[in-house]
């Protein structure tokens, strides 16, 4: 009896029994078309914020009724950085041209980051689109960051988590902040780093905001995972966060990574300048 | 698009059970179902690359899905008291010496043997799964069989236990 015969003798599922597994097959899920997360990038100058504005198709439900008019917001007691960010969006030629100026705004989710408060504000545009802006109110120094404009499909339970944008104030010193959206059935999101440490990510009103600490990187690389769960504790969305502390790539959890972990989620080292 | 979906549903009904069996041979039932779902999600995205012989191609995707699942599990295991990586389910190790011996081989060597012994693939088909040439697979299979034979002798013979295993791994 050869070793292959010995192995075949302990086959947990013999080939003649494979057809009997058909009833155990999970329902076939044909994923929706992939979203185009980053259509264009716009740079705003002279504003004290890091922002991402994602104009979203009108199918994305906005169920809260805490929107206020833009003029009211701009004259409110909201943090100056947030008002600056929204004002910059309003004045953006690209945003205005494609979507019109935002007509209303609400605070979606806020969190106390390592350097201070960070928030996601949700915007409504006159044409029915909605978007979001991530604001770091800890950064009082005038800072330039970008806005991401694109279209996006409605979040579904099958695609429970997506990250829209991220920014780093001071590379390798400041955290990498990120914001995104979750499906309506998501009740919690946690950040799982390669060393096994977990950190909760703030979730509210279908939006998330969180950060990856520079200390979470290993040998200069970040290899983490965002996991969204529903009320039953079932994972309904996963996003990989890979890269260097200055350039983290957030992407849908890959099922096609190579076996070698070190090659799966690591960028080549960037030479110091 | 309708044709795409119909073709894909046919692919799923034809090969879904085999992919589920592949996963069930290597992990628990709950994870196996996830592996099937993820495998066909990837296959759908790459449907324009589906080869004529789809099953080895699907096995190859499932293999990477499973490796990725283990990678995620590894993070969670580290979280939970830093348990060791489970290469072969524990309950099977107590059942058969051949599985104990198999567990001393590298994951690639294990997979080389199992694709032949459990999935019944030819070297040409298994080479597609492993992403190598058929000739390279034959060489790997030959070496893996030799290592497994040595490991079996080591696990059978109490005098040669750990030392024999070290020789095998070396």
């Amino acid at each position: 009896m050869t070793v292959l015969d010995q192995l075949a003798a302990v086959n947990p599922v013999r080939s003649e029994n494979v057809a009997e597994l058909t009833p155990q097959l999970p329902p076939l899920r044909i994923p929706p078309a992939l979203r185009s997360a980053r259509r264009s990038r716009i740079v705003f100058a002279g504003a004290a914020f890091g922002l991402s504005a994602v104009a979203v198709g009108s199918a994305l439900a906005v169920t809260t009724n805490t929107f206020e008019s833009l003029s009211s917001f701009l004259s409110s007691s909201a943090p100056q950085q947030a008002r600056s960010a929204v004002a910059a969006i309003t004045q953006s030629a690209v945003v205005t041209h494609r979507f019109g100026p935002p007509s209303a705004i609400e605070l979606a989710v806020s969190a106390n980051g390592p350097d201070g408060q960070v928030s996601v504000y949700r915007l409504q545009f006159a044409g029915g689109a909605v978007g979001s802006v991530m604001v770091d109110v800890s950064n009082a120094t005038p800072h330039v960051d970008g806005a991401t404009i694109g279209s996006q499909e409605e979040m579904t339970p099958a695609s429970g988590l997506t990250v829209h944008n991220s920014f780093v104030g001071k590379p390798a010193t400041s955290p990498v902040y990120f914001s995104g959206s979750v499906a309506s059935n998501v009740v919690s999101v946690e950040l799982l780093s390669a060393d096994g440490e977990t950190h909760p990510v703030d979730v509210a009103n279908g939006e998330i905001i969180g950060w990856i600490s520079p200390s979470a990187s290993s040998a200069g690389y970040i290899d983490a995972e965002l996991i969204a769960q529903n009320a039953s504790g079932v994972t309904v969305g996963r996003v990989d966060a890979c890269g260097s502390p200055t350039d983290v790539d957030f992407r849908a959890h890959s099922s096609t990574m190579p076996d070698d972990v070190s090659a799966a989620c690591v960028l080549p080292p960037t030479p110091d300048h | 698009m309708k044709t795409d979906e119909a073709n894909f549903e046919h692919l799923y009904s034809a090969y879904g059970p085999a992919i589920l069996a592949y996963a069930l041979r290597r992990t628990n039932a709950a994870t196996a179902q996830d592996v099937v779902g993820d495998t066909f999600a990837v296959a759908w995205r790459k449907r324009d690359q589906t080869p004529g012989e789809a099953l080895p191609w699907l096995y190859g995707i499932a293999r990477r899905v499973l490796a990725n699942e283990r990678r995620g599990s590894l993070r969670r295991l580290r979280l939970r008291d830093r348990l060791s990586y489970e290469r072969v389910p524990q309950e099977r190790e107590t059942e058969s010496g051949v599985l104990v011996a198999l567990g001393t081989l590298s994951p690639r060597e294990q997979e080389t043997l199992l694709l032949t012994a459990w999935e019944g693939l030819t070297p040409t088909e298994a080479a597609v799964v492993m992403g190598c040439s058929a000739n390279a697979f034959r060489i790997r299979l030959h070496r893996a069989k030799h290592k497994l034979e040595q490991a079996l002798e080591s696990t059978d013979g109490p005098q040669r236990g750990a030392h024999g295993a070290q020789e095998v791994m070396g």
Side-chain angles (χ1 to χ4, degrees):
Chain A
M1 193 176 191
T2 68
V3 287
L4 288 179
D5 291 335
Q6 291 182 58
L7 277 176
V10 294
N11 188 347
V13 184
R14 294 179 183 278
S15 56
E16 59 265 31
N17 298 329
V18 168
E20 297 171 10
L21 296 174
T22 299
Q24 296 179 38
L25 279 176
L28 176 60
R29 291 178 287 125
I30 294 183
L34 294 177
R35 74 185 73 255
S36 51
R38 295 187 176 190
R39 289 278 177 83
S40 61
R41 187 169 175 83
I42 303 168
V43 173
F44 294 95
F49 55 85
L51 67 84
S52 70
V54 180
V56 182
S58 55
L60 181 58
V62 178
T63 55
T64 55
N65 55 0
T66 56
F67 277 93
E68 61 181 317
S69 71
L70 194 64
S71 58
S72 170
F73 176 80
L74 292 176
S75 61
S76 71
S77 60
Q80 180 60 47
Q81 292 93 332
R83 285 183 280 153
S84 298
V86 172
I89 289 174
T90 305
Q91 292 158 12
S92 161
V94 173
V95 173
T96 303
H97 174 71
R98 292 185 58 181
F99 306 103
S103 56
I105 184 170
E106 70 167 356
L107 176 62
V109 59
S110 195
N112 288 317
D115 296 333
Q117 191 182 40
V118 284
S119 303
V120 172
Y121 289 86
R122 196 147 46 186
L123 301 163
Q124 282 184 338
F125 292 84
V130 296
S132 63
V133 54
M134 179 166 59
V135 181
D136 169 17
V137 302
S138 68
N139 186 359
T141 306
H143 172 72
V144 177
D145 208 287
T148 307
I149 308 295
S151 61
Q152 177 180 307
E153 296 169 359
E154 184 177 9
M155 297 298 297
T156 66
S159 59
L161 170 66
T162 190
V163 171
H164 296 319
N165 204 15
S166 63
F167 72 90
V168 183
K170 294 178 182 176
T173 303
S174 302
V176 179
Y177 291 98
F178 57 86
S179 66
S181 300
V182 291
S184 58
N185 62 336
V186 171
V187 298
S188 70
V189 177
E190 69 176 7
L191 176 73
L192 182 58
S193 53
D195 61 5
E197 295 296 320
T198 62
H199 306 276
V201 174
D202 287 80
V203 183
N205 298 311
E207 305 281 351
I208 65 167
I209 191 165
W211 57 88
I212 302 173
S213 167
S215 63
S217 63
S218 173
Y221 303 118
I222 288 173
D223 173 11
E225 186 178 344
L226 286 164
I227 301 171
Q229 294 189 320
N230 66 15
S232 303
V234 175
T235 297
V236 293
R238 293 162 75 177
V239 168
D240 290 322
C242 309
S244 70
T246 59
D247 183 19
V248 178
D249 181 23
F250 292 87
R251 58 196 173 195
H253 181 69
S254 171
S255 297
T256 57
M257 286 184 172
D259 299 352
D260 183 359
V261 173
S262 64
C265 200
V266 167
L267 296 177
T270 305
D272 292 328
H273 296 289
Chain B
M1 194 65 181
K2 284 288 182 190
T3 306
D4 260 7
E5 292 189 9
N7 288 341
F8 196 71
E9 284 168 3
H10 176 71
L11 190 78
Y12 188 68
S13 56
Y15 297 123
I19 298 302
L20 180 57
Y22 172 90
L24 283 170
R25 288 166 183 143
R26 290 160 177 81
T27 187
N28 60 59
T31 304
Q33 296 238 341
D34 290 344
V35 168
V36 172
D38 289 348
T39 297
F40 280 89
V42 173
W44 168 256
R45 289 200 296 272
K46 297 184 172 182
R47 59 192 181 279
D48 56 343
Q49 302 168 26
T50 309
E53 291 291 328
L55 185 56
W57 177 70
L58 288 168
Y59 278 140
I61 296 174
R63 175 173 171 260
R64 290 188 289 275
V65 167
L66 193 56
N68 210 38
E69 180 63 38
R70 283 173 170 156
R71 177 173 153 261
S73 299
L74 182 59
R75 290 186 185 127
R76 287 181 275 279
L77 287 173
R78 283 175 181 155
L79 174 68
R80 294 168 190 160
D81 301 324
R82 275 65 174 167
L83 295 175
S84 60
Y85 181 43
E86 179 188 20
R87 284 201 286 192
V88 175
Q90 193 68 32
E91 64 270 22
R92 292 182 197 161
E93 291 188 6
T94 60
E95 287 175 359
S96 168
V98 71
L99 288 175
V100 174
L102 183 71
T104 66
L105 273 57
S106 73
R108 192 174 74 176
E109 290 164 341
Q110 292 181 36
E111 189 68 0
T112 299
L113 291 163
L114 295 182
L115 286 172
T116 305
W118 286 1
E119 270 70 38
L121 300 185
T122 66
T124 303
E125 291 169 333
V128 174
V129 182
M130 300 294 284
C132 64
S133 69
N135 198 40
F137 183 85
R138 287 189 188 93
I139 294 169
R140 288 182 189 177
L141 179 61
H142 176 75
R143 289 175 179 166
K145 282 161 62 176
H146 183 62
K147 278 194 173 184
L148 183 59
E149 286 165 356
Q150 286 190 315
L152 267 171
E153 289 174 14
S154 300
T155 53
D156 287 345
Q159 300 289 328
R160 302 171 57 190
H163 181 62
Q166 278 188 349
E167 285 181 343
V168 169
M169 295 301 286

